[in-house]
Amino acid sequence: LEPKEEYGSKALAQDVMRPRRSDPPLAVLTQEGMSVGEVEAMVADTDYSGFPVVVCQESQRLVGFILRRDLVISLENARQRQEGVVSASLVFFTDHVPAQPTSGPPAVKLRGILDLSPFTVTDHTPMEITVDIFRKLGLRQSLVTHNGRLLGIITKKDVLKHMAQMANRDPDSILFN
Ligand code: ADP
């Protein structure tokens, strides 16, 4: 991400973020309501480095971001060290965990491993600014929101790929299209 030359692209964060229209939806966790088994299945079915955590599927309001490796280690730990944890145990990323019914399995509390202020840009943020922020803050990823709703994610690799694409194009078409 060396600032070697002027970045002339008029692209916006929404043009670079994933998922693309044809991609499967963003893999997100909800701050409550998911079981250990469901979270493990999401981790096993994807190879993303991290997952946004939202209030609920309907609102898509961002709560934080969790790294895949921290999630894997914490779930393994909970299974091994926390008495009674099974696939049906509920996972909570919330501040407050409601009392679990004494008959059911204990809850797993994971708020401690959540990044509560992940970097975000809006869908209309120009890529020029986004690239600058990635460079200056040394970001690995940024989340993309619209009116507080989580829309997507841009990783450092997405930014690099986008810049490589721009560099391969006729400079005029980048500046004036
Ligand atoms: P990298 O871009 O370094 O390979 P990832 O493996 O995390 O990092 O992401 C691979 C691709 O999937 C990227 O294009 C990224 O934008 C996208 N992506 C990352 N996390 C998620 C997620 N939770 N849900 C959907 N897509 C994601």
Side-chain angles (χ1 to χ4, degrees), residues 65-166:
F65 189 78
I66 190 160
L67 287 176
R68 175 193 193 81
R69 56 163 191 271
D70 293 342
L71 188 56
V72 168
I73 292 170
S74 300
L75 288 176
E76 275 173 13
N77 271 342
R79 283 224 189 237
Q80 283 168 13
R81 308 210 177 127
Q82 197 185 326
E83 178 91 19
V85 168
V86 290
S87 298
S89 294
L90 289 177
V91 176
F92 286 89
F93 295 99
T94 47
D95 226 352
H96 175 74
V97 174
Q100 298 299 295
T102 41
S103 55
V108 175
K109 302 174 196 173
L110 296 184
R111 190 173 182 88
I113 54 165
L114 199 56
D115 174 1
L116 291 168
S117 5
F119 202 86
T120 61
V121 293
T122 71
D123 50 346
H124 286 113
T125 306
M127 276 312 289
E128 192 180 352
I129 292 172
T130 308
V131 169
D132 208 35
I133 297 170
F134 265 81
R135 277 179 186 144
K136 289 189 172 141
L137 300 184
L139 297 182
R140 304 300 307 263
Q141 73 276 314
S142 171
L143 298 171
V144 182
T145 59
H146 178 83
N147 284 342
R149 252 179 100 86
L150 179 66
L151 286 187
I153 184 167
I154 300 178
T155 66
K156 182 176 170 182
K157 222 182 257 177
D158 293 329
V159 172
L160 290 170
K161 273 189 222 158
H162 171 72
M163 290 173 76
Q165 268 173 13
M166 291 300 117

Side-chain angles (χ1 to χ4, degrees), residues 18 26-27 47-52 153 155 157-158:
R18 307 303 152 104
L26 194 66
D47 52 11
Y48 306 128
S49 313
F51 303 91
I153 184 167
T155 66
K157 222 182 257 177
D158 293 329

